Amino acid sequence: MSNPQQLRYSKEHEWLSPATDGVATVGITAHAADALGDVVYVELPAVGAAVTAGETCGELESTKSVSDLYSPVTGEITEVNQDVVDDPALVNSAPFEGGWLFKVRLDAEPADLLSADEYTAFTAG
């Protein structure tokens, strides 16, 4: 699965959508979902919680391991994807669509995220 060009990516394997009215959507990449294996449990930050770029804000548990979820941006959680909490396999089957994790009101536009091509190169080597 290729990485959508309109998204930006962190080196911790999260993606960030373009912001609409200051709110962006966050998920994990297909690369991360494949590395995790079948996701069986998702713990997301609470609506209203503050998140900080690069810091842990949740957890993904798979049949292989448990992995921390890092926020690629600083801001306030405005929505979480209850569908993913109810059916964690969405993270694997649709990481860039229905498997998104949360929405966040950005404090500032992040400067250190990668383009799709940069992320592809990062994960290739």
Side-chain angles (χ1 to χ4, degrees):
M1 177 179 294
S2 64
N3 297 305
Q5 291 293 318
Q6 75 275 17
L7 302 178
R8 292 191 288 160
Y9 302 86
S10 75
K11 290 185 177 180
E12 288 78 29
H13 308 288
E14 285 84 26
W15 58 261
L16 179 76
S17 72
T20 302
D21 295 328
V23 176
T25 303
V26 174
I28 67 164
T29 66
H31 176 83
D34 288 345
L36 279 171
D38 295 333
V39 176
V40 296
Y41 176 76
V42 176
E43 179 185 309
L44 299 174
V47 171
V51 293
T52 303
E55 292 190 7
T56 302
C57 65
E59 188 175 270
L60 301 171
E61 183 177 328
S62 73
T63 55
K64 292 182 182 179
S65 67
V66 176
S67 179
D68 287 333
L69 173 65
Y70 296 91
S71 179
V73 294
T74 298
E76 179 184 337
I77 302 300
T78 62
E79 183 180 349
V80 296
N81 187 350
Q82 188 61 45
D83 290 342
V84 166
V85 173
D86 295 340
D87 183 9
L90 284 171
V91 171
N92 298 104
S93 64
F96 298 114
E97 296 89 26
W100 62 273
L101 300 176
F102 59 86
K103 295 186 180 188
V104 59
R105 180 167 308 284
L106 304 176
D107 283 354
E109 280 294 318
D112 61 345
L113 296 179
L114 306 173
S115 69
D117 292 339
E118 291 168 332
Y119 181 75
T120 299
F122 171 73
T123 56

